[in-house]
Amino acid sequence: MSQVAIVTGGTRGIGAAISRSLIDSGYTVAASYGGDHESAKAFHEATGAHTYQWDVADFEACVEGVAKIEKELGPVEALINNAGITRDGTLHKMTPDRWQEVIQTNLSSCFNMCHAVINGMRERGYGRIVNIGSINGQAGQYGQVNYAAAKSGIHGFTKALAQEGARSGITVNAIAPGYIETSMVAKVPERVLEKIVAGIPVGRLGQPEEIARAVEFLVSRDAGFITGSTLSVNGGQHMY
C-alpha cells in the first residue's frame, strides 16, 4: 500500500505542483481545497488525486477531514500545510477581519492539521510534516503585516514541533518560497513585479515545480536526519 499524503490547498498553484510531484513519487495524495469546486474537479480528473473540501481554519473540520481520509485511504504519513491566502493592506487601513482571516487560514491551519495527524504519527513511530512559509515571513513585506506575521509564525511553529516529534520518528520542516510564478503573484502590478524580479539574483521568478521537488525530498525517508529546518527556495533574493 502506498503512503498517504495530505496537501492542503493542494489543487491549485504550488499545492497542485506538490500534489502532482508526490503522485509521481508513488504517494496516494489527498488534496484539500477551500471552495473552488470546478478547479478541484478538473484537478482530480487530470491527476487522479483524491480531493476533499473543508475550511482549514476550522479545527473541527480538519479533524473530520483527516478522519475521513484515513478511513478511505489509510493512515496519513505525510502532511504538507500549503493552504494560504492574502488580504493585503497597510496596518492603518487593515480591518480586524482581514487580520484574523489570514492568521487563521495561514497559521492556525497548521495547528489544526498537525493536531489531527500527530497522534497517529506518534503511535506508528513515523511521520513527515512540511509547512510552507514564505520569504515575506523572513524579510517582511510592505502592506502584508498579517501575511508576514502568519508566515513568520509558521517558521517558529515548525522548530518547536520538530523538537516534540523527533524521538517519535516525525520530522517537521518548513520551506520558504520566494516569488513563484502562480496566479497569486500574477496579481502583482507589472511595474512592481519587474522591480521584484530585478532584485532576484537568478533573474527570474521561481516555478511551482521547484517548490514541489523540495517538498518531495523532505517527505522522503532519505531526509530522516533533517528536522526543524527552513529551506529557502527564493533564487537568492533573501539569504537567511
Side-chain angles (χ1 to χ4, degrees), residues 157-167 170-173 227-229:
F157 176 93
T158 295
K159 294 179 185 300
L161 186 57
Q163 294 180 50
E164 295 181 18
R167 291 297 179 92
I170 304 167
T171 65
V172 188
N173 293 290
T227 195
S229 294

Side-chain angles (χ1 to χ4, degrees), residues 1-12 15-16 18-20 22-24 26-34 36-37 39-54 65-66 68-76 78 80 113:
M1 182 181 294
S2 64
Q3 292 178 292
V4 176
I6 295 177
V7 182
T8 67
T11 65
R12 299 173 58 190
I18 293 170
S19 294
R20 289 191 187 94
L22 294 180
I23 290 170
D24 290 344
Y27 285 83
T28 297
V29 170
S32 80
Y33 68 99
D36 189 342
H37 298 291
S39 292
K41 180 180 179 181
F43 185 73
H44 165 70
E45 292 173 349
T47 65
H50 303 266
T51 56
Y52 296 83
Q53 189 272 326
W54 74 78
V66 170
K68 183 176 182 181
I69 288 168
E70 293 198 319
K71 180 178 180 180
E72 295 179 355
L73 305 180
V76 174
I80 297 84
M113 290 299 301

